[in-house]
Amino acid sequence: TSTSSSSSNNKNAGIVHSLLFSKPNSNGEEFVSREPLLLNGHNGSQITCLSFDNDDSTGGTGSGTGSYGGSTRLASGSSDGTIILWDILNETGLYRLLGHSGPISDVSFLPHLSPSTSASSTRTSTSTSTSTSDQFNGLITSSYDGLVKVWDLNAQCCIQTIANHGGQVLSSTVVSLPHNDGDNDNDNGEEENENKNRVRVRVRLVTGCIDGKVRVYSIQQSKRMTIDNTTNTEDNDDDTPMPMPMPMLENEDKVDVNVDVNVKSSSNVSVSMDDVCFFMGNLPPPPSNSNVIVSHEKVVKVEYFTSTSSSTTYFGYLRNNSKMVDIYTVRSVKDALAKKKRRLRRRREKDKKENSIASSIHSGSGKDKETGMEQPEDKKGKKRGILDEEDDTTSKVIDNNASVSTSTSTSTDVELDQIKSSDEYVYACTVRASHKIKSFEFTNNTNDGKVGAGAGSGGVRIVFALATNALEVHSIKRKKKDDSRSSEEYEFTTKNVSSMDMYGHPTGIRSIALSSDDELACTVSKNIAKVWNVGNRSCLRSLPLTSSKSSKRGSTSSSYGLCSVFLPGNTHVVVGTREGYLLVIDIASGDIVFTEKAHEKEIWSIDIKKPPSFGSGSNQYDIADYNDDEASGSIAIVTGSADKNVKFWEVETQGEDDSSSDEDGGSDDDSDNDDKAGLHIGHPMLVHTRTLESADDVVCVRYSHCNDPAQKMIFVSTLDNQIKVFFDDTLKFFLSLYGHTLPALALDSSDDDAILASGGADKSIKIWGLDFGDTHRTMYGHSDSITDLKFVKKTHNFFTSSKDGSVRYWDGDRFDQILLLNGHISEINCLAISKTGAFVLSGGMDRQVRVWERTKDMVFLEEEKERAMEDMFDKVDNQKGDEAGTERLMRRRKEEDQLEEDDDGDDENENQPQSAAAVKKSQLSVSSGDRIMEALERADQELKDAASFRRSQESKGKYAKERMPSPYLLGMEPPQYMLWVLRSVKSAELEQSLLVLPLHYMERLIFYLILLLRNGQGVELCSRAAIFLVKTHQNQLVGHHKMAIPLRELRRLLKLRLSEARDAIGYNMAAIRIISKVSSDYKSRYHIPDDFAKKDVFGGLGVGSDMAAALQRKN
C-alpha cells in the first residue's frame, strides 16, 4: 500500500507500507508479520504507483509462486518524477531512477524475454542456463510528462524513450500473453508442443493517453541482445544451427518504430540497437453495430486478465468521467496470423484494383476494361476519406514488405512481428455501470466451476469502484455464436450480479452522532444518513434524506445533511439540512416520520438538552412519559442557522393534540385532514417554542452541562468572530467572548462548566473561564481551520479535528498537546466521543469514519514533544531538498540555454546521471550515526583500558587477576559490541547512518569489521558496511597511505567469507531441493509401509552419510 495524501502537511507522504504475505499453501497466518515494513526514501512526495516484481526464481513470468510469493523487489513512483527500487528482504532502497519531469503514472517490471529464434528449442542445457543469467532485467515507467521510458536495471539507465504520445500518459500495463493456440482437435500433440516451443512469448505494452488513444507495443529482445545470444551460442556449440537474427520491422528503414504509422514522419529515423518496444498500432474502436458511442476522453486505466477456466485473455480500458468499460479479447497466435493473412489479402486485392483503374486512366480512357462503363469521378482519381483505411505510401511499403516476408519466410517469429493491434485484439462487449467509474478490476467467475457449465461458458467478473463510494460486480460470459458465417467464434453477454452501496458514503461526512449507550453511531452526508454498529463496525441501515414539504403538494426533494443528534431512547435521529429542514427519522423502519421547515437557510449546528431525570440505564421509553411529568422537564433541541436565528424546539409525541381536538368537535378543513393523514402516531415531533435573534449568521450553538435550570447556559458563535453566552431559561445575555480573529467553528464546555473551549478558522484554540469570561490560554497546533471540538466526560481534556487531516488530544489544565492522530487523507469535519472516553469517532471529506480506541500504553509528553520536533526537522529537510532541487533545475536550464549554440550540447546532456542512491536523511538516521560513533568511542576506550590493565598485571606473574567485562559494553568484547550496535540500526537506515561518520571514525570502524570477519561473525552485515564505506570514501582512502594494508586485508577477508557463505547457501539449497523432490514423490504414492518409508526416504540423496544418518534418526 502506498501513502498518498492530498494535504501537503501529512507527514506520512512518501512512505511505502508493506505487509509480507505468507505462502498460500502454508498453515501460517495471513501475514508473516503484522508490523508493516516502512520504506522511507521519497523526499516528502506523494507515492502515485507501486509494482512488485512478481517473477519467480526460475525465470518465469509470474506463474508458480503467485503475484507475491517470489517478489523480492518493489518499485515505487512518486509525484516528483522519481522511481525507487526497493529490496524487500534487506529492507533498503537499491537506487533511484531519474529522468521523468512529471508525476509517475505507472511502473511495470518486464518479464524475461525469450530469444527470438526458431531454433531455440535445440540449444543445449548449458547454453540455456547461460542465456537465462544474461536475460534482460527491465522496467517500464509512464509519466504525466508524455514519455514512456524503458530502463535497464542492471545498468541503471534508460535505454529507450517512447515520445509518440500526444500528451500525458495516464496509465500503462505490461502483460505476457499465454501460449494459447485455440481449440485444437487434432491428435498430433507432440507437433503442437514443438510449435509452442518454437513461438516466441508474446509480451505487450499498452498505454492510455490524454488524447483518448490506446496504443499497443510489442516488447521483444533488442538487436544487441540477439547478436550477443547468437555469439554465445556459436561459442558454446559449433554444431548448433545459427539462430535467426531478430527480423526487422516491415517499416524499419522508412519510419521510426516510436511514431504512429498513421502519422507521416518528416525525417527517416533509424532504429536503435537497444530498443525493445515496437509500435503495433492503436487499439481499434468498438464497431459501429455495437451501439457504443465512441468517446475521445482521456484513458485513465488499462487492465489485462487471463481467465483460469477458459484461458481467454481479456483487456479493458476506462475513460475519464465514464460509466462504461470497453472489453476486448486477445486472439491466439493461430487466429491472429489468420486475421493478418486476411488483411493482407484484402490489401493486395484493393491495390490490384486501384492499379488497374490507374492504368486505365493513364491510357486516356475513363472506362472500365471489364464492363466498358464510364467510371465515376471519385474512382478516376485516388481519394481517401476519413473513414477509409490508411492508404498512404508508407502503409503500402509496409504491407508490400509484409507480404513478401510472409511468402518467403517460414518462421512463425517473423510473422508475429508483422501482426498489428487490429489483428490481435477483437472487441467483445461494453460493460455499463450505474454511476461514474473511478477504477475497475477483473476477477475469476466462481460459477464456472459448477457442474453443468459447458466448455464455452467461461467468463470473468469485473468489479467497479464507483464515484459514489460503492462497488458493483458485473459478470461477463461468453458462448459460441449460432451464426457459423461470422468471423468471430464467441459472443459475450454482461449482467449486473451485485452491488455494495451500503458500506460507504457517496460524499464527505459532515456530522457524527453517538447514541446514549455508545452502541450506535449516525453519520450524515449528502442525501443520506447511515446508522452503524460501533462494536462490529457494520452498517445497519442507510437512511435517504428527503423532505416531503415543497412548493408542490405531494412532491419530495433530496436534502443535504449538515448536523445530527440522537433523541433519548436511541430510536430516532434528528437531522438538520442545508435547505433549512429538520428531519426526524425512525431507525427501525428507515422512514422520515416528521419534517419541519425550521430555517430559511442552512442549519449549521444542533444540540439537545435532556431532562435531568433521564438516566442511561434504560434505552426504551415513551416520550410522553417525560412530557407529562412537569418535574422531570422536557426534551429540548436548539438549532443555529445562517438566517441569524437560534430556535428552540420541544419534543412531543404525534397524535396527542389531534385526538383531543377531535373530541372537542374537530375541523372540516381539508388541509387539516391532509396533515392528519401524514402523521405517524406515536412517533416524536418537534414543536417550535422560542427564537433568539442574532446580529450575524450563527455558526455553532451548544448547551452547557449544568442540570440546574437556573444556571444552564447557551453558547452561540456567530460570523462576527464573537461567542455570546445566554441563560437558557430567560435568554438573558450573560457574557461576550472576544479574541478569535476568524469565526469560532466549534464550541464545547466541560462537565463542571468551569471552562469553555473554542476552536476557530484562525487555527487557534482558546480556553475561556465562564466566571468572568477571561481567556486562560491560547494554544496552537493545527495548520488549518479547526472544525470540531469535544470534551472527554468528567475531565478537562478534549479532542479537536481540523481541515489539516489530523486529530489532536489536549490537556485543558496544563495547556499541552497529548497526542497527534494522523490517518485521514483529507479534511476532518466532525468528532464524536463515547461517554467513558474509550473511543473517538472522526469523519471527513475522504468519506472515512475512523475509530480511535484508547489503549493501556502510557503516554509521555516529553517523548511526544521530541517526536514532534523530529517531524518538524524532517519537514525542514524536505523543504531544503525541494529548494535545492529547484535551484539545480534552474542552473541546468541556464546551462542548456548556453549550450544551445554549441554542437556538443547533446553530449553534455547525455552525461547527466540517470540514477542516484535511494537514501533519505532523517532524524532517525542521524541518531543512529551518533549511536555508532558513541559505540566506537566506548570500544576504543575499552581496548585502551584492557591494554593498560594487562601491562599492570604482567609483573605480578601468577598473582595476576582477570579483568571483569565492562558494563558499558554489556559484558561483550569490543568487536562483538560493535556488531551488536550495527545490528540495532534498521537495515533501511544503515547506509544513511554510515554517511554521518567522519573519516577517522570510518577508519576505526573498518578495523573492527576486519576483526569480525576474521572470526567469521556477522559476515553479511560486515560485508555490506565495508563495501559501502569503501565506495563512499574511495577518494579519501586512495590518498591515505596508512589504509593500504587494512584495505588489502579487508579485500582478502571479504572474498574468503563471501565465498564460504555462497558455497554454504548453494549446498543447502541443493539439498533442500532434493529433499523436497523425494518428499513430493513419496506423498504422491498410494500407500507404502512405514518401515519401508523410514529406510528409503532419504536414501541416495547425495548429501553425505552423516547428514543422511541424522535425518533418519530425526525421522
Side-chain angles (χ1 to χ4, degrees):
T1 58
S2 62
T3 301
S4 175
S5 172
S6 60
S7 175
S8 60
N9 298 319
N10 191 353
K11 71 169 187 176
N12 289 330
I15 298 179
V16 180
H17 302 263
S18 176
L19 290 173
L20 300 181
F21 281 91
S22 63
K23 290 186 177 180
N25 298 329
S26 64
N27 296 325
E29 297 180 350
E30 182 181 3
F31 296 104
V32 175
S33 175
R34 292 289 176 178
E35 291 295 330
L37 169 63
L38 299 182
L39 305 175
N40 190 359
H42 292 279
N43 296 323
S45 301
Q46 302 173 10
I47 297 174
T48 55
C49 54
L50 293 172
S51 178
F52 278 100
D53 181 12
N54 56 3
D55 196 14
D56 56 5
S57 59
T58 60
T61 57
S63 61
T65 58
S67 60
Y68 55 84
S71 300
T72 60
R73 294 182 301 174
L74 172 69
S76 61
S78 62
S79 58
D80 59 355
T82 61
I83 306 102
I84 295 182
L85 245 70
W86 307 91
D87 188 346
I88 301 177
L89 297 181
N90 293 329
E91 303 179 7
T92 57
L94 299 177
Y95 43 84
R96 188 193 313 265
L97 300 177
L98 308 175
H100 287 287
S101 60
I104 306 299
S105 59
D106 191 57
V107 292
S108 300
F109 283 92
L110 281 179
H112 291 311
L113 303 178
S114 61
S116 59
T117 171
S118 60
S120 60
S121 61
T122 62
R123 291 186 180 182
T124 61
S125 59
T126 304
S127 62
T128 302
S129 60
T130 304
S131 62
T132 302
S133 62
D134 296 336
Q135 285 175 341
F136 179 65
N137 184 16
L139 181 76
I140 291 185
T141 60
S142 59
S143 173
Y144 279 52
D145 57 4
L147 302 178
V148 176
K149 288 181 175 290
V150 183
W151 303 85
D152 187 351
L153 299 182
N154 294 329
Q156 300 180 19
C157 64
C158 177
I159 62 173
Q160 183 180 2
T161 300
I162 305 175
N164 66 329
H165 298 83
Q168 300 175 353
V169 183
L170 305 179
S171 59
S172 65
T173 183
V174 177
V175 66
S176 178
L177 300 178
H179 291 287
N180 184 13
D181 290 340
D183 299 331
N184 298 321
D185 298 333
N186 56 354
D187 297 332
N188 193 0
E190 297 181 357
E191 182 179 356
E192 293 296 331
N193 293 331
E194 184 180 358
N195 290 335
K196 287 183 180 180
N197 294 330
R198 294 165 63 91
V199 175
R200 186 177 65 247
V201 177
R202 295 185 297 167
V203 183
R204 299 293 181 259
L205 164 67
V206 182
T207 61
C209 189
I210 195 173
D211 59 0
K213 296 181 181 180
V214 180
R215 294 171 172 84
V216 184
Y217 297 85
S218 174
I219 301 178
Q220 306 167 5
Q221 273 196 343
S222 63
K223 294 183 179 180
R224 192 183 306 277
M225 295 180 62
T226 305
I227 296 173
D228 295 340
N229 291 331
T230 304
T231 305
N232 294 333
T233 305
E234 293 176 353
D235 295 339
N236 291 330
D237 190 0
D238 296 336
D239 297 334
T240 305
M242 181 182 298
M244 185 183 304
M246 168 168 282
M248 296 176 61
L249 288 183
E250 57 269 17
N251 58 337
E252 184 175 348
D253 55 345
K254 297 293 183 180
V255 183
D256 184 12
V257 294
N258 290 337
V259 181
D260 291 352
V261 295
N262 298 328
V263 181
K264 293 184 179 180
S265 178
S266 58
S267 61
N268 296 331
V269 183
S270 61
V271 181
S272 173
M273 292 286 291
D274 296 322
D275 287 351
V276 297
C277 293
F278 303 94
F279 185 69
M280 294 178 59
N282 297 329
L283 195 70
S288 58
N289 58 358
S290 61
N291 297 326
V292 177
I293 300 176
V294 179
S295 174
H296 297 285
E297 286 286 337
K298 56 185 178 182
V299 179
V300 296
K301 184 173 182 180
V302 292
E303 188 74 23
Y304 272 100
F305 183 78
T306 301
S307 175
T308 57
S309 59
S310 60
S311 299
T312 303
T313 301
Y314 295 85
F315 171 77
Y317 66 90
L318 171 66
R319 297 186 182 273
N320 188 36
N321 296 326
S322 176
K323 297 181 180 179
M324 301 180 298
V325 172
D326 295 332
I327 307 297
Y328 290 75
T329 58
V330 182
R331 290 187 176 100
S332 62
V333 176
K334 175 182 175 182
D335 297 337
L337 292 176
K339 178 66 169 60
K340 184 209 63 157
K341 292 179 181 178
R342 292 195 300 268
R343 174 175 58 84
L344 295 178
R345 184 175 63 252
R346 290 194 301 266
R347 170 65 67 183
R348 287 193 295 268
E349 293 175 354
K350 183 178 180 180
D351 292 343
K352 182 178 180 182
K353 187 175 181 180
E354 289 180 353
N355 292 333
S356 62
I357 296 174
S359 61
S360 62
I361 295 175
H362 183 70
S363 62
S365 63
K367 297 181 180 181
D368 193 349
K369 294 182 179 181
E370 298 179 358
T371 60
M373 299 179 63
E374 186 74 19
Q375 295 291 334
E377 288 295 330
D378 57 349
K379 291 188 177 181
K380 290 181 180 179
K382 179 182 176 183
K383 295 183 179 180
R384 178 170 175 249
I386 298 177
L387 300 180
D388 294 338
E389 294 184 1
E390 53 189 16
D391 199 27
D392 53 354
T393 306
T394 304
S395 300
K396 284 187 175 182
V397 172
I398 293 173
D399 290 328
N400 290 333
N401 293 336
S403 61
V404 172
S405 301
T406 305
S407 60
T408 58
S409 176
T410 60
S411 174
T412 310
D413 291 338
V414 179
E415 296 181 354
L416 284 176
D417 292 328
Q418 300 166 357
I419 292 179
K420 292 186 176 181
S421 59
S422 58
D423 302 331
E424 198 168 62
Y425 294 84
V426 56
Y427 173 78
C429 60
T430 297
V431 187
R432 293 174 174 84
S434 58
H435 294 86
K436 292 181 180 179
I437 304 173
K438 288 297 184 180
S439 182
F440 72 95
E441 193 73 27
F442 288 102
T443 181
N444 281 311
N445 194 347
T446 56
N447 296 329
D448 290 343
K450 292 184 177 180
V451 178
S457 61
V460 296
R461 287 189 175 185
I462 182 171
V463 183
F464 292 145
L466 304 181
T468 58
N469 205 12
L471 296 177
E472 280 188 3
V473 182
H474 293 254
S475 176
I476 304 175
K477 292 186 177 182
R478 67 168 191 170
K479 61 180 180 180
K480 291 190 176 182
K481 290 185 177 180
D482 298 334
D483 187 6
S484 60
R485 296 173 297 175
S486 177
S487 60
E488 302 301 332
E489 185 178 1
Y490 296 99
E491 63 179 358
F492 295 84
T493 58
T494 62
K495 180 182 179 182
N496 188 352
V497 178
S498 62
S499 177
M500 294 173 283
D501 57 351
M502 187 177 179
Y503 299 99
H505 281 274
T507 57
I509 300 171
R510 303 305 299 262
S511 174
I512 297 180
L514 270 175
S515 61
S516 58
D517 55 3
D518 295 337
E519 293 184 358
L520 301 179
C522 178
T523 56
V524 177
S525 66
K526 181 181 179 181
N527 303 336
I528 197 170
K530 292 182 179 291
V531 180
W532 306 80
N533 188 331
V534 180
N536 55 19
R537 299 352 181 211
S538 62
C539 181
L540 301 179
R541 187 173 294 277
S542 293
L543 311 173
L545 302 180
T546 56
S547 56
S548 59
K549 289 189 177 183
S550 59
S551 59
K552 296 182 180 180
R553 186 181 299 272
S555 62
T556 60
S557 60
S558 59
S559 301
Y560 196 121
L562 296 178
C563 52
S564 62
V565 67
F566 270 93
L567 289 179
N570 306 327
T571 57
H572 296 79
V573 179
V574 180
V575 179
T577 65
R578 186 174 60 181
E579 294 76 17
Y581 285 95
L582 281 177
L583 309 178
V584 181
I585 306 175
D586 183 14
I587 297 177
S589 62
D591 298 332
I592 298 178
V593 298
F594 181 78
T595 304
E596 178 68 24
K597 179 66 175 177
H599 293 273
E600 297 299 328
K601 293 184 178 181
E602 299 89 345
I603 302 177
W604 292 115
S605 181
I606 187 172
D607 198 11
I608 186 171
K609 179 184 69 174
K610 299 176 182 178
S613 59
F614 177 75
S616 60
S618 177
N619 295 331
Q620 300 295 333
Y621 75 101
D622 188 2
I623 296 177
D625 296 340
Y626 285 91
N627 291 337
D628 294 339
D629 189 3
E630 297 180 357
S632 63
S634 60
I635 304 172
I637 288 178
V638 60
T639 56
S641 173
D643 60 0
K644 305 180 182 179
N645 289 329
V646 177
K647 292 188 177 182
F648 298 84
W649 310 80
E650 288 189 359
V651 181
E652 297 181 357
T653 304
Q654 300 185 38
E656 295 178 354
D657 297 339
D658 297 331
S659 60
S660 61
S661 62
D662 292 339
E663 294 175 358
D664 295 338
S667 174
D668 296 335
D669 192 359
D670 294 338
S671 62
D672 294 341
N673 293 334
D674 294 339
D675 294 339
K676 293 177 184 178
L679 291 177
H680 295 75
I681 306 301
H683 290 280
M685 61 181 297
L686 303 179
V687 179
H688 179 229
T689 57
R690 297 177 296 173
T691 300
L692 176 64
E693 295 183 356
S694 175
D696 213 330
D697 295 358
V698 178
V699 178
C700 183
V701 59
R702 286 289 182 269
Y703 274 114
S704 65
H705 298 280
C706 181
N707 292 328
D708 188 2
Q711 298 181 1
K712 200 170 190 67
M713 293 175 289
I714 298 174
F715 311 107
V716 180
S717 173
T718 56
L719 204 60
D720 56 0
N721 309 339
Q722 297 185 23
I723 301 174
K724 297 181 179 180
V725 184
F726 300 89
F727 288 103
D728 178 38
D729 53 354
T730 61
L731 297 182
K732 182 180 178 181
F733 175 76
F734 176 52
L735 290 173
S736 182
L737 308 178
Y738 299 89
H740 282 286
T741 57
L742 290 175
L745 305 179
L747 298 171
D748 198 10
S749 62
S750 58
D751 279 355
D752 55 2
D753 288 340
I755 58 176
L756 172 71
S758 62
D762 55 0
K763 312 174 189 177
S764 66
I765 303 170
K766 289 186 177 292
I767 308 285
W768 312 86
L770 293 179
D771 295 334
F772 306 101
D774 56 328
T775 303
H776 289 181
R777 185 66 62 92
T778 300
M779 297 182 293
Y780 296 92
H782 288 286
S783 58
D784 209 333
S785 301
I786 298 171
T787 56
D788 204 356
L789 186 149
K790 289 289 190 300
F791 269 94
V792 180
K793 298 297 181 182
K794 299 181 181 180
T795 66
H796 284 180
N797 300 337
F798 58 91
F799 287 87
T800 58
S801 63
S802 172
K803 290 184 178 181
D804 60 4
S806 64
V807 177
R808 297 175 186 260
Y809 187 31
W810 304 85
D811 188 346
D813 293 329
R814 298 182 179 180
F815 313 112
D816 287 330
Q817 177 182 313
I818 302 175
L819 284 176
L820 170 62
L821 306 175
N822 286 309
H824 286 273
I825 60 175
S826 184
E827 59 185 57
I828 305 175
N829 292 328
C830 48
L831 288 173
I833 302 179
S834 63
K835 300 295 182 183
T836 60
F839 62 88
V840 179
L841 304 180
S842 61
M845 298 305 292
D846 55 1
R847 311 175 191 179
Q848 298 180 7
V849 180
R850 287 188 172 264
V851 183
W852 310 89
E853 293 183 346
R854 183 175 58 193
T855 63
K856 296 182 180 180
D857 298 336
M858 298 294 294
V859 177
F860 300 95
L861 296 182
E862 295 297 331
E863 293 182 358
E864 296 297 326
K865 290 180 180 179
E866 290 180 1
R867 187 177 293 109
M869 291 296 294
E870 292 177 2
D871 296 339
M872 185 183 301
F873 290 148
D874 290 341
K875 290 180 180 179
V876 172
D877 291 339
N878 293 336
Q879 292 176 0
K880 290 182 179 180
D882 295 340
E883 293 175 359
T886 304
E887 182 181 358
R888 186 166 54 253
L889 290 176
M890 295 297 293
R891 190 184 306 112
R892 184 181 300 178
R893 283 187 178 180
K894 291 181 180 179
E895 294 176 357
E896 290 177 356
D897 294 339
Q898 294 176 359
L899 293 173
E900 283 182 357
E901 300 177 358
D902 300 335
D903 296 334
D904 299 334
D906 296 336
D907 298 335
E908 294 291 336
N909 293 332
E910 291 178 358
N911 294 329
Q912 296 293 335
Q914 297 184 1
S915 64
V919 294
K920 176 184 177 183
K921 183 179 179 180
S922 62
Q923 189 70 20
L924 183 61
S925 63
V926 174
S927 61
S928 300
D930 294 339
R931 191 162 66 250
I932 294 175
M933 287 188 287
E934 183 181 358
L936 287 171
E937 294 174 356
R938 289 183 178 179
D940 290 344
Q941 186 65 34
E942 176 64 17
L943 290 178
K944 293 179 182 178
D945 295 342
S948 61
F949 182 79
R950 283 194 305 270
R951 287 194 299 267
S952 64
Q953 297 296 325
E954 287 177 356
S955 60
K956 296 182 180 180
K958 62 180 181 179
Y959 298 102
K961 298 180 181 180
E962 293 183 0
R963 188 172 183 273
M964 299 296 294
S966 174
Y968 292 103
L969 272 63
L970 304 178
M972 294 182 288
E973 294 294 330
Q976 285 73 22
Y977 178 71
M978 286 304 307
L979 179 61
W980 180 81
V981 172
L982 290 176
R983 286 176 175 172
S984 65
V985 179
K986 287 187 176 181
S987 179
E989 303 289 340
L990 179 61
E991 295 181 356
Q992 189 67 24
S993 302
L994 295 176
L995 286 176
V996 183
L997 300 181
L999 184 60
H1000 63 280
Y1001 281 97
M1002 183 268 298
E1003 298 174 359
R1004 297 302 303 164
L1005 181 58
I1006 290 180
F1007 168 74
Y1008 289 108
L1009 293 178
I1010 292 175
L1011 296 179
L1012 290 171
L1013 289 173
R1014 284 177 178 175
N1015 298 328
Q1017 298 176 348
V1019 174
E1020 183 180 357
L1021 180 60
C1022 294
S1023 301
R1024 178 186 170 191
I1027 293 174
F1028 178 77
L1029 290 175
V1030 173
K1031 289 172 60 178
T1032 305
H1033 303 280
Q1034 181 180 2
N1035 296 331
Q1036 291 81 1
L1037 293 175
V1038 169
H1040 204 330
H1041 299 288
K1042 294 182 179 180
M1043 293 297 296
I1045 297 177
L1047 287 178
R1048 283 197 293 267
E1049 179 66 13
L1050 182 63
R1051 181 182 62 179
R1052 184 187 69 83
L1053 291 174
L1054 285 176
K1055 288 184 178 181
L1056 177 63
R1057 298 305 181 189
L1058 291 179
S1059 299
E1060 293 176 354
R1062 180 191 59 191
D1063 296 340
I1065 292 175
Y1067 184 83
N1068 294 337
M1069 290 297 296
I1072 290 173
R1073 288 194 186 100
I1074 295 174
I1075 293 175
S1076 62
K1077 182 179 182 302
V1078 173
S1079 178
S1080 61
D1081 294 342
Y1082 168 68
K1083 291 180 180 179
S1084 62
R1085 299 172 185 174
Y1086 289 99
H1087 177 69
I1088 296 177
D1090 293 339
D1091 54 353
F1092 180 77
K1094 290 181 180 179
K1095 291 181 181 179
D1096 298 336
V1097 66
F1098 295 109
L1101 293 182
V1103 295
S1105 59
D1106 296 338
M1107 184 177 294
L1111 291 174
Q1112 289 180 1
R1113 288 195 299 270
K1114 186 176 181 181
N1115 191 36

